């Protein structure tokens, strides 16, 4: 999704904006641009392609003097990726420049009205409407900027985080948001706006999270905030605890590889604070034991990989705590008029905490008066702030579009929640809890072991760099693991891949198997071994090559599978945390082998802040 940055201070703005934009590259983009006030006028430079192109165009920013500016990386929604559609956008007099992340849903209606009033449009974007609308109200309010901005805010529908500069007020950067993320950073060297924290971390850890329909006005030495009526409001800054190195590659070739290697730490960090005196305690849940015992049903709602952790969680929560669980894709949940009852708990899972559909699902549940719990990674994100309760996954900043460490942390959060609820409901004995804790504590070292096996997996991956289709099969939790393995592969390597519940093969899927088709079979659930083994035999007899991921005691499988990757022994509910590691590595090496952009796969964005 688009990324916005802005700076006002004593230093030259362009290099700071370029640096900030580079920290937002992970969000996905197809073009980039900057608008900078040079002491006389606003200059814009923009171009399709990577940030490198903009850096070259401006000689690393040196050709753009000025200490006030805004910058943008665009992920096209309205209008193809092109120089003219890249942001920033000007009003006709080139006195107002705008950058935008989000979608102005009523832009057609506004555009027609503005055209009728004599405005001319250059681009095909929804954003250009904002530049002209600002121009219109600026004139109508005799240059009262706060009035202008609130009027625009009331006219536009949809989602936006906007950064604006006015040539007639060159000592200010203006910013506002609704449903798209926006933060303001305060530093001694000047003040900044950005879509996400990593873009400002180099300069400051003091950050304000802008709420919906709030306006921020930044000058060199001050930051003011206003509500949607244009009234001044007070806001408190938060100190970001992240280590700046967490947002850098640190010697790894790709962020994805670095983040895979951070998984042992992530698991430890998510687990350790919630284990006290041999028991699981999730203080941040703020739910009494009676409230937990009264939970009728849990609805897990999320998108993408977060949804896959929800599918795993269903098996575990139902298995351990015997609480019925429904798992929904957020984009479906929000429009299907879900039946939610008193005593239900809605759990929204999100790394970014900004995914538009997940946020909308959360709001839908809250509107129906249902208790909501956010399992979120980004501290202070919209879902974290709006959910009734938050359980953070302590994965730190995740930059690669393909999630790995946040996914692993989400799994741990689900295990903890399931064991905790089972503990409170008396469904597990102290001894069972203690055994599960022992297994949980072993996971980080086991992940390290699996990561150390990377060369073996790289060799297998190299053989499938040219694969047309790859299938993943499994039953129960193994099916959920397959869903994630398949998504990892297709999103970064563009190899077509699907996950199927192994028992479904005969109902159509098996006709896809051809001589040499790779089928990855996940076989970690002992009670389902025999069933999945039959499916492996079936696909092999139709020409498939089978890569099996299984427990270390299941050596029998070597007689049937072409390749075998063993995972160490753990509780049956925790196998996802281990089996996913070779599948992540497999996807990574296929992508590297194909020469794909591993961290920023085509067409994708890290956080999907539009519907
Ligand atoms: O930030 P979120 O966890 O809400 O994001 C949800 C999905 O967009 C995300 O998991 C996506 O599927 C990943 N890129 C997959 O690697």
């Amino acid at each position: 999704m688009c990324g916005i940055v802005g700076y006002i201070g004593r230093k030259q703005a362009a290099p700071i904006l370029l640096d900030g934009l580079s920290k937002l590259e992970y969000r996905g983009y197809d073009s980039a641009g900057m608008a900078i006030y040079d002491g006389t006028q606003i200059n814009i430079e923009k171009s399709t392609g990577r940030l490198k192109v903009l850096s070259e165009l401006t000689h690393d920013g040196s050709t753009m003097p000025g200490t006030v500016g805004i910058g943008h990386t665009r992920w096209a929604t309205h209008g193809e990726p092109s120089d003219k559609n890249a942001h920033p956008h000007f009003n006709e007099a080139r006195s107002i420049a705008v950058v935008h992340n989000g979608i102005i849903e009523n832009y057609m209606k506004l555009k027609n009205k503005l055209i009728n009033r004599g405005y001319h449009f250059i681009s095909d974007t929804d954003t250009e409407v904002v530049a002209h609308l600002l121009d219109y109200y600026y004139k109508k309010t005799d240059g009262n900027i706060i009035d202008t901005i609130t009027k625009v805010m009331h006219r536009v529908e949809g989602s936006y985080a906007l950064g604006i500069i006015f040539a007639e007020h060159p000592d200010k950067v203006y910013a506002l948001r609704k449903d798209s993320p926006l933060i303001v950073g305060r530093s001694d060297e000047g003040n900044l706006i950005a879509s996400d924290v990593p873009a400002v971390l180099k300069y400051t850890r003091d950050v304000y999270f802008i709420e919906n329909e709030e306006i921020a006005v930044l000058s060199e030495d001050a930051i003011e905030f206003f509500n949607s009526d244009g009234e001044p409001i007070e806001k408190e800054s938060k100190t970001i605890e992240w280590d700046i190195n967490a947002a850098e590659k640190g010697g790894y070739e790709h962020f994805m590889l670095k983040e895979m290697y951070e998984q042992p730490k992530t698991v430890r960090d998510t687990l350790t604070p919630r284990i006290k005196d041999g028991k699981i305690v999730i203080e941040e849940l703020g739910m009494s034991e009676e409230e937990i015992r009264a939970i009728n049903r849990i609805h897990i709602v999320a998108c993408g990989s977060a949804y896959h952790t929800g599918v795993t969680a269903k098996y575990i929560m139902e298995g351990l705590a015997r609480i019925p669980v429904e798992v929904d894709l957020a984009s479906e949940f929000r429009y299907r008029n879900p039946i939610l009852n008193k005593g239900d708990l809605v759990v929204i899972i999100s790394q970014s905490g900004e995914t538009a559909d997940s946020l909308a699902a959360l709001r839908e549940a809250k509107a129906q008066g249902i208790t909501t719990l956010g399992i979120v990674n980004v501290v202070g994100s919209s879902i974290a702030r709006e959910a009734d309760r938050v359980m953070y996954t302590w994965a730190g900043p995740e930059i690669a579009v393909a999630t790995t460490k946040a996914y692993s942390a989400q799994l741990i959060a689900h295990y903890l929640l399931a064991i905790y609820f089972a503990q409170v409901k008396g469904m597990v004995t102290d001894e069972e809890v203690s055994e599960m804790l022992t297994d949980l504590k072993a996971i980080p070292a086991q992940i390290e072991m699996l990561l150390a096996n990377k060369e073996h997996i790289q060799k297998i991956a190299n053989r499938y760099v040219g694969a047309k289709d790859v299938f993943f099969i499994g039953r129960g939790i193994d099916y959920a693991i397959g869903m994630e393995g398949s998504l990892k592969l297709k999103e970064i390597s563009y190899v077509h891949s699907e996950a199927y519940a192994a028992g479904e093969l005969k109902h159509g899927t098996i006709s896809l198997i051809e001589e040499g088709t790779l089928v990855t079979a996940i076989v970690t659930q002992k009670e389902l071994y025999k069933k999945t083994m039959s499916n492996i035999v079936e696909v092999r007899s139709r020409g498939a090559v089978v890569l099996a991921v299984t427990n270390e005691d299941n050596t029998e499988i070597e007689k049937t599978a072409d390749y075998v990757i063993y995972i160490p022994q753990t509780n049956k509910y925790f196998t996802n945390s281990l089996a996913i590691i070779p599948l992540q590595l497999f996807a990574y090496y296929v992508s590297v082998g194909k020469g794909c952009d591993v961290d920023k796969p085509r067409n994708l964005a890290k956080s999907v802040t539009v519907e």
Side-chain angles (χ1 to χ4, degrees):
M1 296 291 108
C2 304
I4 70 170
V5 293
Y7 172 77
I8 180 161
R10 284 172 281 278
K11 295 191 161 179
Q12 197 200 342
I16 294 174
L17 297 180
L18 283 171
D19 179 69
L21 290 176
S22 74
K23 302 295 184 322
L24 299 179
E25 278 192 295
Y26 72 89
R27 297 170 67 82
Y29 70 106
D30 45 63
S31 44
M34 292 187 283
I36 293 183
Y37 180 76
D38 70 1
T40 318
Q41 59 179 21
I42 299 174
N43 300 305
I44 288 184
E45 291 288 359
K46 54 185 184 174
S47 163
T48 37
R50 291 289 176 211
L51 212 46
K52 209 167 135 257
V53 181
L54 183 66
S55 295
E56 280 164 13
L57 194 68
T58 61
H59 295 270
D60 293 330
S62 63
T63 59
M64 294 190 82
T67 58
V68 183
I70 49 179
H72 191 262
T73 43
R74 174 170 188 253
W75 189 82
T77 56
H78 293 64
E80 56 170 12
S82 67
D83 290 358
K84 80 169 179 190
N85 288 335
H87 299 210
H89 289 285
F90 263 142
N91 62 335
E92 278 184 59
R94 301 170 72 90
S95 56
I96 304 171
V98 180
V99 289
H100 169 216
N101 167 31
I103 292 179
I104 307 297
E105 287 170 359
N106 59 341
Y107 86 102
M108 253 332 211
K109 200 166 127 200
L110 294 171
K111 186 169 177 173
N112 289 335
K113 282 195 176 160
L114 287 161
I115 289 172
N116 287 339
R117 287 188 179 122
Y119 283 89
H120 298 101
F121 283 75
I122 295 170
S123 75
D124 310 315
T125 64
D126 51 336
T127 306
E128 199 182 350
V129 157
V130 178
H132 294 310
L133 207 56
L134 284 164
D135 178 275
Y136 174 75
Y137 283 116
Y138 186 68
K139 287 176 184 147
K140 238 187 146 179
T141 60
D142 289 329
N144 182 326
I145 297 195
I146 295 298
D147 238 20
T148 300
I149 290 177
T150 55
K151 286 204 158 53
V152 169
M153 206 175 215
H154 293 136
R155 291 299 302 280
V156 297
E157 288 164 16
S159 58
Y160 52 81
L162 290 162
I164 311 164
I165 53 173
F166 289 77
E168 290 179 16
H169 300 268
D171 55 345
K172 302 267 192 295
V173 169
Y174 298 88
L176 57 149
R177 78 163 276 222
K178 181 179 157 271
D179 293 344
S180 290
L182 179 69
I183 58 121
V184 170
R186 185 185 58 199
S187 94
D188 295 339
E189 309 282 358
N191 295 316
L192 304 110
I193 60 165
S195 298
D196 198 0
V197 171
V200 306
L201 267 187
K202 189 166 168 186
Y203 310 97
T204 183
R205 287 174 178 280
D206 277 346
V207 162
Y208 296 91
F209 291 94
I210 307 301
E211 299 293 342
N212 269 347
E213 302 200 320
E214 286 182 353
I215 302 163
V217 181
L218 285 69
S219 39
E220 195 177 293
D221 299 312
I223 305 170
E224 297 166 281
F225 300 100
F226 298 87
N227 64 18
S228 60
D229 293 325
E231 295 159 349
I233 51 168
E234 295 293 324
K235 283 186 79 70
E236 265 182 39
S237 66
K238 298 227 156 48
T239 307
I240 301 297
E241 308 288 352
W242 294 350
D243 174 1
I244 185 161
N245 295 325
E248 306 285 345
K249 264 190 229 160
Y252 286 90
E253 201 180 336
H254 298 104
F255 277 112
M256 184 180 171
L257 189 64
K258 175 183 178 240
E259 288 160 5
M260 281 193 274
Y261 273 82
E262 285 172 350
Q263 290 179 107
K265 177 175 179 330
T266 295
V267 167
R268 249 180 238 119
D269 291 351
T270 305
L271 194 60
T272 315
R274 277 108 183 192
I275 301 179
K276 291 201 177 104
D277 304 326
K279 289 229 158 196
I280 288 171
V281 184
I282 311 177
E283 274 157 8
E284 63 268 45
L285 264 190
M287 290 176 96
S288 67
E289 298 204 342
E290 270 120 82
E291 282 172 301
I292 292 170
R293 279 192 279 267
I295 295 173
N296 276 332
R297 183 174 295 273
I298 296 176
H299 303 260
I300 299 181
V301 187
C303 302
S305 297
Y307 168 78
H308 297 157
T309 70
V311 177
T312 306
K314 174 180 168 71
Y315 292 105
I316 305 173
M317 184 63 82
E318 291 187 343
L320 283 176
R322 305 303 297 156
I323 302 174
V325 177
E326 281 183 30
V327 194
D328 269 273
L329 291 164
S331 53
E332 292 295 314
F333 180 88
R334 64 182 291 192
Y335 293 121
R336 76 167 169 82
N337 195 10
I339 301 169
L340 304 174
N341 295 308
K342 202 166 165 280
D344 287 1
L345 173 70
V346 170
V347 180
I348 309 285
I349 315 159
S350 176
Q351 185 285 129
S352 61
E354 299 293 349
T355 300
D357 284 323
S358 306
L359 186 56
L362 168 76
R363 289 178 182 160
E364 169 66 30
K366 284 188 78 176
Q368 293 197 35
I370 305 300
T371 306
T372 55
L373 164 68
I375 297 183
V376 179
N377 193 45
V378 176
V379 176
S381 56
S382 299
I383 294 173
R385 279 175 290 140
E386 291 189 30
D388 297 313
R389 315 262 188 263
V390 194
M391 186 172 171
Y392 280 113
T393 51
W394 297 113
E398 192 179 60
I399 308 296
V401 165
T403 181
T404 51
K405 62 173 180 169
Y407 171 87
S408 283
Q410 284 165 2
L411 288 176
I412 297 295
H414 288 307
Y415 305 158
L416 289 169
L417 211 56
I419 303 170
Y420 183 51
F421 284 179
Q423 208 177 261
V424 170
K425 289 183 70 187
M427 309 294 292
V428 281
T429 62
D430 286 354
E431 206 185 333
E432 282 165 333
V433 171
S434 143
E435 277 168 18
M436 282 192 273
L437 287 182
T438 307
D439 282 339
L440 280 177
K441 286 180 196 161
I443 288 177
Q446 292 174 324
I447 293 179
E448 265 156 29
M449 245 173 67
L450 288 160
L451 285 166
N453 192 24
K454 71 177 182 352
E455 271 168 41
H456 172 51
I457 292 154
Q458 186 174 12
K459 279 195 188 120
I460 304 174
N462 285 345
R463 286 181 206 153
Y464 290 93
V465 162
K468 187 164 70 73
D469 306 294
V470 175
F471 298 103
F472 290 76
I473 60 169
R475 290 168 182 259
I477 288 176
D478 291 342
Y479 170 45
I481 302 170
M483 290 168 100
E484 177 60 7
S486 166
L487 177 61
K488 280 292 85 81
L489 180 66
K490 71 184 125 192
E491 71 172 329
I492 60 169
S493 75
Y494 320 143
V495 172
H496 168 249
S497 130
E498 301 294 338
Y500 293 106
E504 268 294 293
L505 290 179
K506 292 192 203 64
H507 301 281
T509 318
I510 203 157
S511 66
L512 293 167
I513 304 298
E514 292 172 356
E515 197 60 39
T517 305
L518 181 66
V519 174
T520 301
I522 301 116
V523 200
T524 72
Q525 303 297 299
K526 281 205 170 82
E527 63 272 28
L528 296 168
Y529 271 2
K530 283 196 183 134
K531 300 287 168 195
T532 311
M533 283 309 295
S534 307
N535 301 126
I536 292 177
V537 171
E538 283 160 10
V539 292
R540 276 206 87 217
S541 61
R542 280 152 185 92
V545 174
V546 173
L547 162 63
V549 179
T550 193
N551 303 323
E552 59 194 7
D553 62 356
N554 190 21
T555 49
E556 272 291 290
I557 206 166
E558 286 181 23
K559 292 186 194 144
T560 320
D562 299 271
Y563 309 102
V564 182
I565 298 167
Y566 290 108
I567 62 161
Q569 220 50 58
T570 188
N571 182 291
K572 66 173 181 175
Y573 289 123
F574 310 152
T575 55
N576 193 338
S577 289
L578 305 180
I580 197 58
I581 305 297
L583 301 185
Q584 291 171 347
L585 286 166
F586 180 77
Y588 173 78
Y589 284 117
V590 173
S591 176
V592 171
K594 285 187 77 173
C596 298
D597 192 344
V598 176
D599 287 334
K600 298 184 285 289
R602 70 185 180 204
N603 305 337
L604 289 178
K606 178 69 180 166
S607 94
V608 183
T609 52
V610 292
E611 245 191 287

